[in-house]
Amino acid sequence: MTTLIKGGQVVSPAGAVEADVLVDGERIAAVAAPGALTGDETIDATGKYVLPGGIDAHTHMEMPFGGTHSVDTFETGTVAAAWGGTTTIIDFAVQAKGTSLLSTLDKWHSKADGNCAVDYGFHMIVSDVNDASLKEMRACVDAGVGSFKMFMAYPGVFYSTDGEILRGMQQAREIGATIMMHAENGIAIDELAAQAYAAGRVDPVEHGRTRPPELEAEATSRAIRLAAVTGAPLYIVHLSASQALAAVAEARDDGQNVFAETCPQYLYLSIEDLAKPGFEGAKYVASPPLREKSHQADLWRGLRTNDLSVVSTDHCPFCFKDQKELGRGDFRAIPNGMPGVEHRMDLLHQGVVAGEISLGRWVETCSATPARMFGLYPRKGVIAAGSDADIVVYDPAATQTLSAETHHMNVDYSAYEGFELTGKVHTVLSRGRVVVSPSGFSGGAGHGKFLARALNQYLN
Ligand code: DUC
Ligand code: ZN
Ligand code: ZN
Ligand code: ZN
């Protein structure tokens, strides 16, 4: 059975061209001038964009954190992703101290396998650096997990010392893997947070005040220097602050293999949200924290200049009721994380509407670059013959209002409640199967397959 997606504008990093796309089974069979192809069935994309499916390279489904766990399962989270035009997620397997990387990977496979509505891969969080873990990194690469996250924050939990980071990076260099870094100085932050609490400053906004941009910048610079010493490729996750971006830009200008992502929350929300009255600010507690609005223009510029190459969500949803509330009276106990997997494509489309980024850059940061960065190209991230038929038909003229009432994420609030957006997903295909259309969701848990990924395809 073939399906012709007809009359739309096919968008790639190079821009938009009018073309028809023929899907045969799970793959794209052909892309050709309008009218040149025929199919058994037709999807009318007139007046719409035809995009490669979104790739969200940073999600946390069912993630254990602070005695609870993020509330989207691999099923609910990938269904929400599909609704928003994301057809691939890369989630994080989380090594607990005292456990092995390979048993961790098995554990995450057992959570995800058979439950995902779209395709998925894993990164590995290394939180116990020792000879055995370092050795196992190579087996992870062989198992399709060639990217390893380390933490300069969260002492006692995920944190690694500089020496441990150095060892992780040496091994990454050796095996061609990329180190993903949570770059915040957690030792200094925990001290500031303890001081705030002792002084009776306990509200959610203190989460932001005790994690200042300087401590993100310092850690980012330190990670970059450690990467330079070891030769490891480095990818800074969830970059939020102008000063950290400056450090990344400098390293890139020097030709170092340093990359960075930002997230929609840093482009659209700010510390003013964290400072909302009562306990409302807890909805916006994530790390790094939301910043002053003045950082946003720099982040948009970084997206234009490619110093920020990827937009991911860091989707890590905790319900306001019962979960965020664990931190009433002590901001340090608020589970860190915000929901977002569903609306990344839409929120970044607002950047196109506002003239912050081009149409090509939207697709590049949300799909094409994450595909290459994480070894999925050309299977994913491009509309071309032979690629998986992960396709989004996007209506740039439709409007929508974001709300917890209508979203599909398994969480009781929206960080973007009431946001009025221009543009909306019309139809989504995941490996050739229509999973979202104007008549609703037609995908299913178990359709999504594990993606064994190659190494970073950008390394020089
Ligand atoms: N940051 C979050 O906000 N949540 C999960 C982990 C992280 O680094
Ligand atoms: Zn639960
Ligand atoms: Zn992180
Ligand atoms: Zn994260």
Side-chain angles (χ1 to χ4, degrees), residues 51 345 348-349 352 358-366 394:
L51 318 171
M345 301 297 286
L348 267 290
H349 181 252
V352 178
S358 67
L359 203 49
R361 204 58 195 137
W362 175 42
V363 163
E364 194 163 30
T365 56
C366 290
Y394 195 84

Side-chain angles (χ1 to χ4, degrees), residues 99-141:
T99 68
S100 75
L101 296 187
L102 290 176
S103 66
T104 301
L105 194 54
D106 282 347
K107 193 167 169 183
W108 255 261
H109 271 297
S110 66
K111 295 181 198 228
D113 294 357
N115 294 321
C116 291
V118 300
D119 290 352
Y120 61 98
F122 295 125
H123 311 286
M124 177 61 67
I125 288 176
V126 182
S127 61
D128 197 348
V129 177
N130 54 45
D131 290 347
S133 298
L134 292 170
K135 195 159 167 237
E136 280 189 299
M137 285 170 68
R138 194 184 289 273
C140 289
V141 169

Side-chain angles (χ1 to χ4, degrees), residues 137-194:
M137 285 170 68
R138 194 184 289 273
C140 289
V141 169
D142 293 340
V145 177
S147 39
F148 299 86
K149 186 179 179 190
M150 302 186 83
F151 284 77
M152 303 169 100
Y154 302 118
V157 191
F158 306 121
Y159 175 85
S160 291
T161 65
D162 287 358
E164 289 165 343
I165 289 168
L166 189 92
R167 294 183 73 198
M169 286 181 168
Q170 286 170 330
Q171 180 65 348
R173 159 75 197 198
E174 184 70 27
I175 63 181
T178 296
I179 294 292
M180 306 172 78
M181 189 61 75
H182 182 124
E184 288 186 293
N185 183 329
I187 301 282
I189 284 167
D190 277 14
E191 185 56 39
L192 291 176

Side-chain angles (χ1 to χ4, degrees), residues 127-408:
S127 61
D128 197 348
V129 177
N130 54 45
D131 290 347
S133 298
L134 292 170
K135 195 159 167 237
E136 280 189 299
M137 285 170 68
R138 194 184 289 273
C140 289
V141 169
D142 293 340
V145 177
S147 39
F148 299 86
K149 186 179 179 190
M150 302 186 83
F151 284 77
M152 303 169 100
Y154 302 118
V157 191
F158 306 121
Y159 175 85
S160 291
T161 65
D162 287 358
E164 289 165 343
I165 289 168
L166 189 92
R167 294 183 73 198
M169 286 181 168
Q170 286 170 330
Q171 180 65 348
R173 159 75 197 198
E174 184 70 27
I175 63 181
T178 296
I179 294 292
M180 306 172 78
M181 189 61 75
H182 182 124
E184 288 186 293
N185 183 329
I187 301 282
I189 284 167
D190 277 14
E191 185 56 39
L192 291 176
Q195 289 172 8
Y197 182 75
R201 292 186 271 114
V202 299
D203 292 340
V205 70
E206 298 301 331
H207 174 80
R209 292 189 183 141
T210 58
R211 307 180 87 95
E214 289 78 3
L215 294 182
E216 183 182 350
E218 183 277 328
T220 303
S221 298
R222 183 155 38 99
I224 288 169
R225 264 46 171 221
L226 292 169
V229 167
T230 56
L234 177 66
Y235 177 95
I236 304 291
V237 292
H238 47 48
L239 188 147
S240 72
S242 302
Q243 298 92 323
L245 176 59
V248 167
E250 188 187 336
R252 290 176 59 79
D253 288 347
D254 284 348
Q256 199 178 333
N257 278 316
V258 171
F259 311 92
E261 69 176 13
T262 192
C263 313
Q265 55 270 33
Y266 302 119
L267 296 165
Y268 289 102
L269 303 174
S270 76
I271 196 163
E272 290 171 26
D273 293 291
L274 263 178
K276 281 182 178 168
F279 194 62
E280 185 77 4
K283 294 176 177 175
Y284 304 92
V285 166
S287 294
L290 301 180
R291 302 297 184 190
E292 298 289 342
K293 280 185 180 156
S294 58
H295 295 260
Q296 293 171 357
D298 287 328
L299 298 182
W300 283 113
R301 181 176 43 79
L303 287 173
R304 290 192 291 276
T305 61
N306 203 38
D307 289 322
L308 295 171
S309 341
V310 171
V311 178
S312 306
T313 59
D314 199 10
H315 176 76
C316 191
F318 297 100
C319 283
F320 185 65
K321 192 173 155 43
D322 294 341
Q323 291 190 300
K324 291 289 187 179
E325 280 175 345
L326 293 168
R328 266 192 205 276
D330 183 356
F331 67 93
R332 298 173 299 175
I334 301 169
N336 287 199
M338 288 171 53
V341 73
E342 188 168 349
H343 296 117
R344 181 182 62 122
M345 301 297 286
D346 290 324
L347 286 163
L348 267 290
H349 181 252
Q350 305 315 294
V352 178
V353 173
E356 292 284 3
I357 53 170
S358 67
L359 203 49
R361 204 58 195 137
W362 175 42
V363 163
E364 194 163 30
T365 56
C366 290
S367 178
T369 299
R372 285 189 162 92
M373 192 74 70
F374 297 110
L376 293 170
Y377 184 85
R379 180 168 176 192
K380 306 291 190 189
V382 60
I383 297 207
S387 293
D388 281 358
D390 288 358
I391 300 174
V392 177
V393 179
Y394 195 84
D395 184 348
T399 56
Q400 59 175 324
T401 304
L402 302 189
S403 173
E405 300 286 310
T406 47
H407 75 201
H408 302 87

Side-chain angles (χ1 to χ4, degrees), residues 68-71 73 323 410:
T68 181
H69 53 83
S70 61
V71 283
T73 62
Q323 291 190 300
N410 185 35

